[in-house]
Amino acid sequence: MIPRTITLDIPHQLGREGAKARIDSKIGRLADKIPGGATVDHRWEDDSLHFTVTAMGQQVASRLDVQESIVHAEVTLPGMLGLFAGKVREMLEKEGPRLLG
């Protein structure tokens, strides 16, 4: 099955550095939101956060590009997880602004 990539822009009013600091302070809590446990590996490259969530034998690769007034998110769902792209997008639309709030 072909991976599905979800893209989403999340507006914010924190400025680039404020948004990066907020994301950095909350990224570790992401694993707590996933039933059954997960691990999150992340690294910054300039204004882009690359992170991978591993749970139930699946890896979800993601990137957040932080800009002055938006965060552009790309989440790649492998294999069968691609079937849940609509639900994942809904969750990102709901939780993304909370992450920056």
Side-chain angles (χ1 to χ4, degrees), residues 6 11 18 26 29 31-32 34 37-38 40 51 58-59 62 65 72-73 75 77 94 96-97:
I6 299 167
K26 294 185 177 185
R29 298 182 203 164
D32 298 336
I34 299 170
V40 178
F51 65 101
Q58 298 288 314
Q59 278 193 334
S62 305
D65 295 319
H72 178 76
V75 178
L77 301 171
K94 179 180 174 186

Side-chain angles (χ1 to χ4, degrees), residues 27-87:
I27 192 71
R29 298 182 203 164
L30 183 59
D32 298 336
K33 302 258 185 216
I34 299 170
T39 59
V40 178
D41 295 313
H42 66 282
R43 66 182 161 72
W44 284 98
E45 286 183 12
D46 298 317
D47 295 328
S48 295
L49 177 67
H50 299 265
F51 65 101
T52 304
V53 178
T54 304
M56 297 182 282
Q58 298 288 314
Q59 278 193 334
V60 177
S62 305
R63 187 177 85 215
L64 301 178
D65 295 319
V66 181
Q67 300 171 26
E68 196 61 32
S69 60
I70 65 164
V71 172
H72 178 76
E74 289 187 14
V75 178
T76 302
L77 301 171
M80 296 295 283
L81 290 179
L83 297 173
F84 301 100
K87 291 288 184 193

